[in-house]
Amino acid sequence: MKEQRTIPVTKGKTYEIEIIRLGTNGEGVGKYQDFTVFIPYALPGERIVAVITTVKKNMLWENCGKYYVLRRHE
């Protein structure tokens, strides 16, 4: 039997996320407790604070494009 994972976030809450790469559509991709997070306009190396707008079984989205950059990759 497959182990059920608990989703570590709540829709509408704010989380700090490190962007690790770009996705196939150019969006920033990060991880939050082993869940993949897609953030439009974010760049690899940025550490951001984003509001999660969509929660799926193992993926999260911040769709509104509103986030704060805490640190940019130099």
Side-chain angles (χ1 to χ4, degrees), residues 34-57:
D34 290 332
F35 275 71
T36 302
V37 185
F38 297 97
I39 303 183
Y41 313 112
L43 299 172
E46 291 181 335
R47 177 169 290 280
I48 64 164
V49 174
V51 177
I52 301 301
T53 58
T54 304
V55 177
K56 299 282 185 178
K57 200 171 179 181

Side-chain angles (χ1 to χ4, degrees), residues 17-37:
I17 300 161
E18 178 85 24
I19 304 303
I20 54 176
R21 64 181 177 86
L22 289 178
T24 56
N25 296 318
E27 71 280 8
V29 179
K31 291 280 188 177
Y32 184 82
Q33 295 184 8
D34 290 332
F35 275 71
T36 302
V37 185

